[in-house]
């Protein structure tokens, strides 16, 4: 988790989600926005959400401001109000100020954060070009559509001007998104050249009447100079429209904003607003650009007595994790992922890619006969399951587990919905970054739908293929290969897709073959032999696995063994693990038993769990080899 203050432009995020996903269902934008905010919040230590509140002062300057945008319908405004209420209920700090846009609130908070001692790192989640004027060595922009982190050097490369000149740049060329008219005859290249020569619009206007030593006008060519002289008023209005104000009236909300003492950011108390050194921390109340001098504090307020706390270190307790889980179950092709999941009691499988071809013949998991052919049909299938799995009078559900087979099938439906079934393959091969940008909202819709089902008390399983990915070290030049979730895309976009699902899941389990290597000699090569299967639960040098439970690093590849370790969870006592190990040791071959006992000693915790898992694995391999040995005799 990054120690920084994340400022979310909720208005931009919501209306982008609304116009891109409302065709799915009326609740799709609601779930999509909440999922996106939750995902962003999981990456940063502190979060504030900024939102528009009514018509801003810019409409008084120009009645045609944002006049070319589609109208905001009543249904969308109702959904936005619902999103704001839900975010407040979830504990997010939502900032609003009448007459100011969310961008002005972001500018106010960013200026305040940069003036703290020490300065606070700020990440802005938005997409408007005027936010680029706020970037600095302490402030960056995370684009909400493609997830690209924009820094000041990126602005200079793309626009040819620095963030401190973006306000003047937009005033010269205009901003079609907000219907702000620029100076006629001045485009991007002329604006970049003029700001490179004169530095700012103020100095540019001052130079309109100045000449060089040879008698020529300093501002050239003549057509540009004449256009500037004729449109000074238009340029002045554009400057006022694109300037983000840093004096939004959110002083009290900022003073109450708890920045948590767990990070290196100085905390702010909610009574009287003093910090530990007795100095008040307040946001700026000036127009852009912010001055270095600190603002004056508000009048002192009487502090209210705090009630005695009922919480202390003595009241802390630990209990087994009984919440519902989100699992990505992956492994190389043909290892038996669908077979494993089909053995889970009470599982309902939604087949997407290959049906139930690999299901266990000894089990009959419930499933749909038809497979979803579009992302809309997938949502319909999940809605039908949620209705079918409603709780009875005693609160029990027919299916405690829901499995989707597979993640690659979901990916195909998402890409077809985002790019069109006719051209999706061409776009995937030509420019996957555009595919990822278009598909990301649909991914969040699927995750939001699965999260809603999980909240009803159902474990979510997603079967996924795996592939060997390459990690190249830029310092040593060494290359490392590890097994990871298989999704399309290469480079940074492929990494983002895999990270999105790894971050969403509580567990990523890898099913793989257990291999025994027979050493070679001078006359023969070393031979690898498959000896059963094994389930990896923790990240290692070979697998990107993870778990939020106290599970051994590896387990025998059966549901019974996983459920047994799952039930023990964080409350598994060492005495219980030792008793279980003592039951297994007599059944092992002498050499295997000696190897376990040599490491047992005073082992405890995770090491003891690993020894139990290892002993079970040895026993499983021995039992699988026994029939083959009997047949050979």
């Amino acid at each position: 988790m990054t120690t920084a203050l994340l400022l979310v432009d909720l208005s931009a995020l919501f209306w982008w989600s609304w116009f891109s996903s409302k065709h799915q269902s009326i609740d799709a934008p609601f779930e999509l926005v909440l999922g996106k905010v939750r995902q962003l919040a999981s990456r940063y230590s502190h979060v504030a959400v900024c939102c528009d509140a009514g018509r801003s002062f810019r409409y008084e300057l120009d009645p045609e401001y944002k006049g070319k945008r589609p109208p905001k319908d009543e249904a969308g405004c109702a959904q936005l109000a619902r999103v704001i209420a839900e975010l407040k209920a979830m504990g997010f700090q939502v900032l609003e100020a009448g007459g100011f846009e969310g961008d002005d609130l972001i500018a106010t908070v960013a200026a305040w954060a940069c003036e703290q001692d020490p300065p606070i790192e700020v990440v802005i989640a938005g997409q408007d070009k005027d936010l680029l004027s706020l970037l600095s060595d302490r402030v960056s922009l995370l684009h909400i559509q493609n997830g690209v982190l924009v820094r000041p050097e990126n602005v200079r490369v793309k626009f040819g001007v620095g963030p401190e000149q973006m306000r003047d740049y937009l005033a010269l060329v205009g901003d079609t998104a907000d219907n702000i008219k620029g100076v006629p005859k001045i485009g991007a290249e002329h604006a970049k050249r003029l700001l490179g020569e004169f530095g700012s619009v103020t100095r540019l206007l001052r130079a309109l009447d100045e000449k060089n030593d040879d008698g020529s006008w300093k501002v050239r060519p003549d057509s540009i100079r004449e256009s500037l002289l004729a449109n000074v008023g238009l340029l002045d209005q554009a400057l006022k429209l694109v300037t983000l104000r840093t004096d939004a009236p959110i002083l009290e909300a900022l003073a109450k904003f708890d920045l948590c003492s767990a990070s290196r950011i100085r905390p702010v108390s909610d009574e009287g607003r003093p910090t530990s050194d007795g100095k008040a921390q307040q946001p700026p109340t000036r127009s852009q650009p912010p001055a270095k001098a600190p603002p004056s504090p508000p009048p002192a307020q009487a502090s209210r007595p705090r009630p005695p706390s009922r919480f202390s270190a003595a009241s802390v307790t630990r209990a087994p994790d009984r919440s519902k889980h989100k699992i990505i179950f992956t492994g190389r092709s043909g290892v038996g992922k669908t077979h494993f999941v089909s053995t889970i009691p009470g599982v309902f499988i939604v087949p997407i890619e290959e049906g139930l071809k690999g299901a266990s013949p000894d089990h009959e998991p419930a499933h749909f006969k038809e497979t979803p052919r579009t992302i809309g049909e997938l949502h319909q299938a999940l809605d039908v399951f949620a209705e079918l799995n409603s709780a009875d009078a005693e609160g029990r559900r027919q299916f405690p587990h829901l499995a989707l087979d597979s993640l690659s099938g979901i990916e195909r439906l998402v890409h077809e919905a985002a790019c069109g079934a006719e051209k999706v393959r061409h776009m995937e091969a030509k420019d996957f970054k555009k595919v990822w940008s278009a598909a990301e909202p649909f991914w969040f819709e699927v995750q939001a739908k699965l999260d809603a089902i999980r909240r009803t008390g159902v474990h979510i399983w997603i079967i996924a293929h795996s592939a060997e990915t390459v990690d190249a070290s830029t310092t040593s030049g060494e290359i490392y290969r590890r097994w990871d979730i298989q999704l399309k895309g290469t480079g940074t976009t492929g990494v983002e897709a895999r990270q999105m699902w790894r971050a969403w899941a509580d567990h990523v389990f890898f099913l793989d073959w257990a291999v025994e290597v027979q050493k070679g000699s001078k006359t023969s090569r070393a031979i690898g032999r498959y000896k059963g299967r094994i389930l990896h639960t923790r990240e290692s040098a070979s697998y990107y696995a993870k778990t939020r439970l106290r599970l051994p690093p590896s387990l025998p590849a059966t549901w019974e063994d996983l459920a047994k370790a799952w039930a023990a969870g964080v409350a598994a006592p060492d005495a219980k693990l030792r008793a279980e190990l003592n039951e297994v040791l007599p059944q092992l071959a002498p050499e295997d038993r000696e190897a376990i006992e040599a490491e047992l000693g005073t082992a405890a915790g995770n090491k003891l769990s690993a020894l139990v898992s290892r002993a079970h694995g040895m026993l499983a391999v021995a039992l699988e080899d026994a029939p083959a040995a009997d047949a050979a005799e």
Side-chain angles (χ1 to χ4, degrees):
M1 179 179 290
T2 304
T3 303
L5 172 60
L6 176 70
L7 302 177
V8 181
D9 187 353
L10 181 62
S11 300
L13 174 60
F14 175 81
W15 290 112
W16 165 67
S17 305
W18 173 259
F19 289 111
S20 63
S21 63
K22 67 176 182 178
H23 62 281
Q24 296 290 334
S25 68
I26 192 65
D27 289 331
F30 174 79
E31 297 288 351
L32 178 58
V33 171
L34 292 184
K36 184 72 172 179
V37 173
R38 279 195 297 265
Q39 184 201 36
L40 292 172
S42 66
R43 302 178 186 176
Y44 299 94
S45 55
H46 312 96
V47 183
V49 180
C50 301
C51 186
D52 298 347
R55 292 171 65 88
S56 74
F57 65 90
R58 292 179 176 85
Y59 288 94
E60 300 177 1
L61 298 174
D62 183 5
E64 297 182 2
Y65 177 65
K66 295 186 178 181
K68 293 185 178 180
R69 294 191 178 185
K72 299 177 181 179
D73 51 23
E74 295 182 1
C77 294
Q79 286 291 322
L80 177 57
R82 182 185 171 199
V83 167
I84 294 175
E86 182 67 19
L87 288 174
K88 291 180 178 178
M90 293 166 62
F92 284 98
Q93 181 84 9
V94 180
L95 302 176
E96 299 176 276
F100 288 83
E101 297 182 14
D103 292 352
D104 298 311
L105 308 186
I106 290 174
T108 301
V109 180
W112 168 79
C114 291
E115 291 185 350
Q116 303 307 299
D117 183 19
I120 301 172
E121 298 283 347
V122 176
V123 178
I124 302 171
Q127 62 181 359
D128 296 344
K129 284 186 286 188
D130 51 4
L131 291 173
L132 298 176
S133 63
L134 305 176
L135 302 193
S136 67
D137 57 343
R138 294 286 183 181
V139 182
S140 55
L141 174 72
L142 182 66
H143 202 284
I144 58 176
Q145 291 191 28
N146 55 30
V148 174
L149 191 64
V150 182
R151 300 189 182 277
E153 55 269 22
N154 304 123
V155 177
R156 295 185 184 94
V157 170
K158 183 172 183 179
F159 296 97
V161 297
E164 68 281 357
Q165 296 175 308
M166 276 302 298
R167 181 178 69 108
D168 295 338
Y169 176 88
L170 291 175
L172 288 170
V173 303
D175 189 354
T176 56
D178 292 340
N179 196 30
I180 298 176
K181 302 177 180 64
V183 179
K185 299 183 180 181
I186 295 183
E189 291 301 320
H190 278 304
K192 181 170 62 175
R193 177 183 59 81
L194 291 172
L195 291 176
E197 292 180 11
F198 299 98
S200 68
V201 166
T202 302
R203 287 194 287 269
L204 173 62
L205 295 178
R206 191 183 303 136
L208 289 176
D209 298 327
E210 297 177 358
K211 291 185 177 182
N212 297 314
D213 295 338
D214 59 0
S216 61
W217 295 109
K218 282 190 174 181
V219 178
R220 62 187 193 284
D222 292 342
S223 58
I224 296 297
R225 177 178 173 275
E226 292 172 1
S227 181
L228 285 168
L229 287 171
N231 294 279
V232 172
L234 179 65
L235 181 56
D236 180 65
Q237 176 176 281
L239 275 173
K240 294 178 181 178
L241 291 174
V242 300
T243 298
L244 297 181
R245 292 177 57 176
T246 59
D247 59 343
I250 52 174
L251 185 67
E252 183 178 354
L254 280 179
K256 292 181 179 180
F257 190 56
D258 183 13
L259 290 179
C260 304
S261 58
S263 71
R264 63 183 180 83
I265 301 176
R266 177 178 293 183
V268 180
S269 65
D270 59 345
E271 299 296 342
R273 288 80 177 172
T275 56
S276 57
D277 59 2
K279 297 180 181 179
Q281 295 186 14
Q282 301 298 335
T285 57
R286 301 167 301 281
S287 300
Q288 191 173 344
K292 295 297 182 182
S296 9
Q301 299 181 6
S303 60
R304 298 186 297 271
R306 294 180 180 273
S309 174
R310 298 183 296 109
F311 302 94
S312 65
S315 66
V316 175
T317 183
R318 297 179 183 273
D321 189 342
R322 297 188 177 91
S323 62
K324 303 310 173 184
H325 297 248
K326 299 178 289 187
I327 307 103
I328 293 181
F329 195 80
T330 184
R332 65 180 74 194
S333 179
V335 75
K337 302 181 290 293
T338 305
H339 183 281
F340 183 102
V341 173
S342 66
T343 63
I344 300 175
V347 66
F348 187 99
I349 300 180
V350 179
I352 301 173
E353 196 170 24
E354 298 179 351
L356 296 182
K357 186 173 67 174
S360 169
D362 300 326
H363 299 77
E364 296 181 357
H367 63 280
F368 289 119
K369 293 181 180 179
E370 303 293 336
T371 59
R373 293 171 294 182
T374 64
I375 193 66
E377 288 188 355
L378 175 61
H379 284 283
Q380 293 173 3
L382 296 176
D383 290 337
V384 171
F385 168 79
E387 182 179 353
L388 179 67
N389 200 39
S390 56
D392 58 17
E394 298 180 359
R396 294 175 299 185
R397 299 184 184 274
Q398 184 180 1
F399 304 107
H401 299 269
L402 171 66
L404 279 69
D405 187 8
S406 65
L407 186 59
S408 297
I410 301 175
E411 182 182 44
R412 175 177 54 81
L413 300 182
V414 165
H415 286 187
E416 289 179 357
C419 307
E422 302 80 10
K423 57 182 180 179
V424 61
R425 292 185 180 179
H426 171 73
M427 291 186 64
E428 286 175 346
K430 186 177 180 181
D431 191 349
F432 189 82
K433 185 176 291 186
K434 291 183 179 179
V435 177
W436 167 252
S437 178
E440 191 177 17
F442 295 93
W443 280 123
F444 286 130
E445 285 184 28
V446 174
Q447 290 184 347
K449 180 75 71 174
L450 295 176
D451 284 335
I453 295 176
R454 178 214 185 191
R455 287 194 291 270
T456 65
V458 178
H459 296 288
I460 306 296
W461 295 75
I462 296 183
I463 300 172
H465 300 305
S466 66
E468 206 171 15
T469 58
V470 176
D471 285 343
S473 172
T474 57
T475 56
S476 64
E478 297 179 356
I479 293 178
Y480 304 92
R481 295 181 179 273
R482 285 205 287 183
W483 287 89
D484 199 355
I485 303 167
Q486 182 180 6
L487 288 170
K488 294 181 179 178
T490 57
T492 56
T493 51
V495 172
E496 287 178 5
R498 292 190 292 269
Q499 285 181 344
M500 178 186 70
W501 280 101
R502 279 203 304 264
W504 173 84
D506 299 315
H507 314 275
V508 179
F509 294 150
F510 272 84
L511 188 64
D512 204 353
W513 298 105
V515 180
E516 181 186 68
V517 178
Q518 299 177 357
K519 294 183 178 180
S521 63
K522 293 182 179 180
T523 59
S524 62
R525 294 183 302 173
I527 298 175
R529 178 186 175 193
Y530 286 135
K531 302 201 70 175
R533 296 176 300 169
I534 192 168
L535 185 65
H536 300 279
T537 64
R538 295 184 181 224
E539 186 169 353
S540 65
S542 301
Y543 303 94
Y544 276 109
K546 78 168 193 176
T547 180
R548 69 178 173 97
L549 292 175
R550 184 183 173 183
L551 296 178
S554 57
L555 289 166
T558 65
W559 162 251
E560 290 76 14
D561 288 282
L562 176 59
K564 187 187 214 178
W566 195 322
V570 295
D574 291 345
K576 181 178 179 181
L577 293 174
R578 283 186 173 273
E580 183 177 350
L581 191 59
N582 291 332
E583 293 179 4
V584 178
L585 283 177
Q587 306 176 51
L588 299 179
E591 60 274 12
D592 292 340
R593 184 168 59 252
E594 291 176 2
I596 295 292
E597 290 175 345
E599 299 182 25
L600 183 57
T602 58
N606 290 337
K607 186 175 181 180
L608 187 58
S609 299
L611 289 176
V612 173
S613 173
R614 183 178 171 188
H616 277 293
M618 290 176 173
L619 181 60
V621 170
L623 294 176
E624 289 184 4
D625 287 348
D630 295 341
E633 293 178 359

